[in-house]
Structures are given as C-alpha cells and as structure tokens.
Amino acid sequence: MMTTITSVRTVGVPVADQDRALGFFADTLGFEVRLDAPISETERWIEVVPAQSATSIALIATGDGGNGVDTGVRFSVPDAQSAHDSMTARGVQVDELLRWEGMPPMYTFADPDGNRFYVVEDQADD
C-alpha cells in the first residue's frame, strides 16, 4: 500500500553560518523561530517560519562558504510591490519586480549565503 503524503512540513536550505542565517531570517525578514535545538556538540537544528505558514525553512549547516543554490522556494505575499520595497529598505539583495502579462507580480531575493528565493503576489480567486 502506498503512503499518502499530505503536506510539506520543512524545506532544508544550506547555510555556511547558522547564526548569520538565523539573524537574516528572524531579524531582517521577521520569520518566527519554530525550533533551535542542538543535535550534537557542534550542530543545531534550526527551523524558521513565516507567520501563518505551516511550512518551515530548516537552516542546514554546510560548513563551507558555497555560492548558494536556487532553492525553488516560493513565498507568497498579498502585495509584491510593498514586499519588494520593504525588503529593499532593509538591505535585502532583491532583483527587479517582474510584471508579466497573465502572471502575478514576482521577484527573487538572496540570503547572505547567496541562496535564491522567490516572492509571488497572491492572486484573488475569480
């Protein structure tokens, strides 16, 4: 019998410095810290989550500086322009706000490790 997967709980993102990443997500982006627990003498399991989201981001220590990855993670916001302006004002590395016909407004941003994330405006159901 096949197991039925019902949701995505956590998405792991590689980071070189967990404290720096935690500061970025919690202090700069305003995410809540769901979990910050030691898993060994030198490693921690850290999960951050946007308010009202069931899915968290795990900040996975890589131990190297890496060039970042395209996470494929898409965050949703009610107003992409306002979110873009707010992130820009807080010093987040954001790309241009894209407005393509037939698509919701969207943009990308990077964390301090160069990991790429996407922000997409929620679209009201017609």
Side-chain angles (χ1 to χ4, degrees):
M1 179 173 173
M2 185 180 350
T3 301
T4 302
I5 296 173
T6 59
S7 67
V8 175
R9 183 185 186 290
T10 304
V11 175
V13 173
V15 299
D17 181 328
Q18 286 181 304
D19 288 323
R20 180 182 67 183
L22 180 59
F24 174 77
F25 282 95
D27 300 335
T28 304
L29 297 184
F31 285 24
E32 298 169 7
V33 179
R34 177 183 281 172
L35 184 63
D36 185 352
I39 56 176
S40 74
E41 288 189 26
T42 59
E43 296 181 57
R44 294 156 53 198
W45 183 260
I46 302 172
E47 291 182 26
V48 293
V49 60
Q52 304 174 2
S53 177
T55 305
S56 64
I57 303 292
L59 306 175
I60 309 296
T62 62
D64 63 19
N67 294 325
V69 299
D70 184 338
T71 67
V73 173
R74 271 113 174 116
F75 296 111
S76 60
V77 296
D79 181 344
Q81 183 68 61
S82 292
H84 187 272
D85 293 347
S86 177
M87 282 187 174
T88 300
R90 287 179 277 160
V92 177
Q93 179 188 337
V94 296
D95 290 331
E96 174 185 357
L97 179 64
L98 302 174
R99 296 181 184 273
W100 293 322
E101 187 174 336
M103 300 291 291
M106 66 186 77
Y107 64 93
T108 60
F109 73 91
D111 70 8
D113 286 285
N115 294 311
R116 179 91 22 223
F117 298 87
Y118 300 80
V119 175
V120 181
E121 185 172 300
D122 289 330
Q123 296 294 287
D125 294 330
D126 297 328

